[in-house]
Amino acid sequence: MVLYKHSDEPKGNAPISSSLFSQLQKDILTGKLKPGQKLTEQAICKEYKVSRTPVREALRQLEMDGLVENILNRGSFVIGLSQQDFVDMFQLRKIYEVQAVKWAIERITDDEMDALEETFEFMEFYTLRNDVDKMLTINAGFHQIIYEASHNRMLRQLLSSYQTYFKYRSEEDIYANNYLTEVLEEHRLIFKAFTEKDAEAGAEAMERHIDNSKKRRCKQIDNMIK
């Protein structure tokens, strides 16, 4: 029983403002919309083929997310996220992921445990096939199940937002040959902590995984610069 669904596209019955927000968020995080760029309702309506009402709501949501600044009598401007923002976010993410895995190990239901086991088996399968794209999707699902199993709504929402930010930031990443094997083994230790109901071991495994993710990201950035 898989309890997550991973998709870049909004659901078919999602409000237009939610769909527009997701697209604008992606375009800001991937750099299509640049920091300092002015966002006018007229331009957004034309580019994304929507009416003015969902544009206002999407801009309000983006401001709440800290991606856009609305300046009185001047308009809305893209802020985006700097490299330092992402470095800081990694540190915050580690703190919250560690807490999430502790609570999840204590609170996980039988259905959620079945979903986590099935997801880890998919991770093994796609690692053997050396399928990075599929592995990234399944990896996100593995973490999402942990967020759900923490049974803390605010923590789940926060970590899901971080996951979105890092996903879009990673679109042009270059992956080392041993990337999938490393990631699989890190998740194996996290999954083992769930099977043994060892919250401390889970916290240590998650902290190591996030630290290693940060190191891999820094190495990827260096390779792209070269």
Side-chain angles (χ1 to χ4, degrees):
M1 175 183 179
V2 179
L3 299 184
Y4 73 90
K5 291 184 179 179
H6 179 79
S7 174
D8 295 344
E9 301 300 328
K11 295 179 181 178
N13 61 349
I16 295 176
S17 58
S18 177
S19 174
L20 178 61
F21 164 75
S22 297
Q23 187 59 55
L24 287 169
Q25 180 191 57
K26 179 179 180 180
D27 289 347
I28 290 171
L29 293 172
T30 57
K32 182 178 178 180
L33 296 174
K34 308 294 184 184
Q37 183 173 340
K38 186 174 183 178
L39 300 176
T40 66
E41 290 185 8
Q42 183 178 5
I44 294 174
C45 289
K46 182 178 180 180
E47 175 69 20
Y48 297 91
K49 296 178 173 55
V50 293
S51 63
R52 287 182 180 270
T53 300
V55 171
R56 297 188 187 106
E57 177 58 25
L59 289 175
R60 186 187 68 81
Q61 289 181 276
L62 289 167
E63 183 178 35
M64 290 175 61
D65 253 18
L67 297 176
V68 164
E69 181 179 16
N70 292 321
I71 302 176
L72 187 64
N73 297 326
R74 290 190 59 199
S76 300
F77 296 84
V78 175
I79 298 176
L81 294 174
S82 68
Q83 185 60 36
Q84 186 60 53
D85 289 331
F86 277 96
V87 170
D88 293 343
M89 201 181 300
F90 251 115
Q91 188 61 33
L92 290 172
R93 180 191 171 192
K94 180 168 73 171
I95 294 169
Y96 295 133
E97 289 264 10
V98 167
Q99 185 59 63
V101 81
K102 284 182 178 179
W103 280 340
I105 288 174
E106 294 170 356
R107 302 172 181 178
I108 194 166
T109 66
D110 289 343
D111 283 347
E112 288 166 342
M113 189 64 201
D114 288 344
L116 193 68
E117 180 176 6
E118 182 179 17
T119 303
F120 180 71
E121 289 172 355
F122 275 120
M123 293 183 77
E124 291 180 311
F125 176 75
Y126 286 115
T127 297
L128 287 173
R129 295 190 61 175
N130 198 34
D131 191 329
V132 174
D133 290 339
K134 289 286 188 181
M135 183 63 163
L136 290 175
T137 298
I138 300 301
N139 186 348
F142 184 93
H143 284 266
Q144 195 65 46
I145 293 169
I146 292 175
Y147 306 159
E148 296 287 345
S150 75
H151 295 277
N152 184 288
R153 180 172 56 85
M154 297 302 295
L155 188 60
R156 183 185 72 238
Q157 290 177 343
L158 183 62
L159 284 169
S160 294
S161 294
Y162 282 175
Q163 197 174 78
T164 298
Y165 293 156
F166 284 116
K167 173 187 177 298
Y168 289 141
R169 185 73 169 191
S170 306
E171 286 204 338
E172 296 181 358
D173 278 351
I174 301 169
Y175 299 97
N177 291 333
N178 61 343
Y179 171 78
L180 292 183
T181 302
E182 285 185 359
V183 171
L184 177 66
E185 293 310 311
E186 289 166 17
H187 285 81
R188 189 186 306 280
L189 291 176
I190 296 170
F191 179 66
K192 183 173 182 284
F194 274 89
T195 62
E196 296 177 352
K197 299 188 184 302
D198 190 336
E200 288 308 312
E204 290 177 10
M206 182 62 79
E207 183 171 1
R208 192 176 307 116
H209 170 55
I210 300 300
D211 283 341
N212 288 340
S213 295
K214 182 179 179 181
K215 290 176 185 176
R216 284 189 290 265
R217 179 61 52 79
C218 291
K219 187 180 295 184
Q220 289 160 0
I221 291 171
D222 288 342
N223 288 338
M224 289 170 68
I225 293 173
K226 291 176 184 178

